[in-house]
Amino acid sequence: DRPQQYWAEIYARYLAPDQAYKAELTFMVGDSASTALPGRIEGDVLIEDQPMRPRQLSKALVRYQLDYQAPFNPNLTFNFQTSSFKRKELPTRFKTIPRFQVKDQQIRKSSGGQIILASPLQLSDEEGILIMLSDAQKQTASIAISGPAQLDTIPLFPGQLKALGKTGTGSIYLLSKKKGLLRDKNISWTYLLEYYTAEQSIEILE
């Protein structure tokens, strides 16, 4: 008999200021991706050797999840075992963001600003970053950059800052996103990984 085929969907994020991971994993089982149905795994589903907790989302669908705190490690490995094969590892790797600062710690709504990276940031076609800016009234502007790209500095243009209303003290943080698909003999897994930097204070000028 042909062994069961498994499709896994992984979501994980890391909040750098809190040293906090959130991880979720769901499984589908069947002969093809189009006909696969939600599946449950016999035994433990682990992330970095810690058991994930199953949560019943519907009669058939189970999501394995775990929130935990730990120093950042860009490599995140999920593993599990089924009746079809021995313990299987699903490796993933976050896209990290180098240290950064806003030039002169200020941006101008009329002329923009510049983010300076401590080291070059290389983005593949499955990676991207979001720049999140907030003013004193928590009005936000988000700027998306998709790979492939190599960034040493990131210019901020006035047209990208229109959503910011109030001048004065604001904040900025960066968020990296990485998504993709990996395959092994009888399992395929998609993943979405997000890494959030700490916020920095900036001055928003007219």
Side-chain angles (χ1 to χ4, degrees):
D1 283 356
R2 186 181 176 212
Q4 289 269 41
Q5 298 295 300
Y6 290 80
W7 287 266
E9 189 173 301
I10 289 169
Y11 170 73
R13 77 165 187 228
Y14 187 76
L15 304 181
D18 305 325
Q19 292 196 322
Y21 284 95
K22 180 183 190 68
E24 298 176 347
L25 179 60
T26 54
F27 291 98
M28 307 284 280
V29 185
D31 296 321
S32 70
S34 58
T35 61
L37 296 171
R40 190 176 181 121
I41 298 300
E42 306 93 351
D44 283 343
V45 176
L46 306 178
I47 177 172
E48 295 298 304
D49 298 324
Q50 301 180 77
M52 300 181 75
R53 300 183 188 95
R55 183 181 171 206
Q56 199 83 34
L57 298 184
S58 67
K59 188 174 181 182
L61 185 61
V62 176
R63 177 193 291 152
Y64 297 85
Q65 56 192 42
L66 187 66
D67 297 351
Y68 66 100
Q69 288 187 289
F72 181 61
N73 178 354
N75 297 304
L76 206 58
T77 301
F78 298 78
N79 69 65
F80 67 99
Q81 189 165 2
T82 78
S83 54
S84 302
F85 47 76
K86 292 181 180 177
R87 189 158 285 281
K88 180 75 69 178
E89 290 194 345
L90 308 182
T92 60
R93 183 177 175 84
F94 282 91
K95 182 64 182 180
T96 54
I97 295 175
R99 287 181 297 105
F100 71 94
Q101 63 181 40
V102 174
K103 186 178 181 182
D104 299 326
Q105 283 77 54
Q106 65 183 33
I107 59 170
R108 290 184 178 272
K109 291 164 64 180
S110 57
S111 58
Q114 189 177 51
I115 297 171
I116 300 167
L117 301 170
S119 58
L121 176 61
Q122 187 91 34
L123 298 175
S124 72
D125 57 5
E126 63 179 22
E127 297 168 343
I129 61 169
L130 269 179
I131 301 159
M132 302 297 296
L133 298 139
S134 296
D135 65 17
Q137 293 181 329
K138 300 301 180 188
Q139 290 179 286
T140 61
S142 64
I143 301 163
I145 299 175
S146 300
Q150 177 161 328
L151 308 171
D152 297 289
T153 61
I154 303 171
L156 304 174
F157 299 107
Q160 298 171 316
L161 308 174
K162 285 180 179 175
L164 299 176
K166 192 171 177 59
T167 57
T169 301
S171 66
I172 182 172
Y173 70 89
L174 304 188
L175 155 63
S176 76
K177 287 177 176 276
K178 181 176 180 178
K179 60 183 179 180
L181 168 67
L182 293 170
R183 290 188 177 92
D184 205 345
K185 289 177 187 171
N186 44 7
I187 182 164
S188 303
W189 62 103
T190 60
Y191 57 85
L192 172 60
L193 310 175
E194 298 179 336
Y195 175 89
Y196 292 72
T197 71
E199 276 191 356
Q200 295 182 19
S201 290
I202 53 170
E203 201 67 21
I204 298 172
L205 306 174
E206 205 56 63

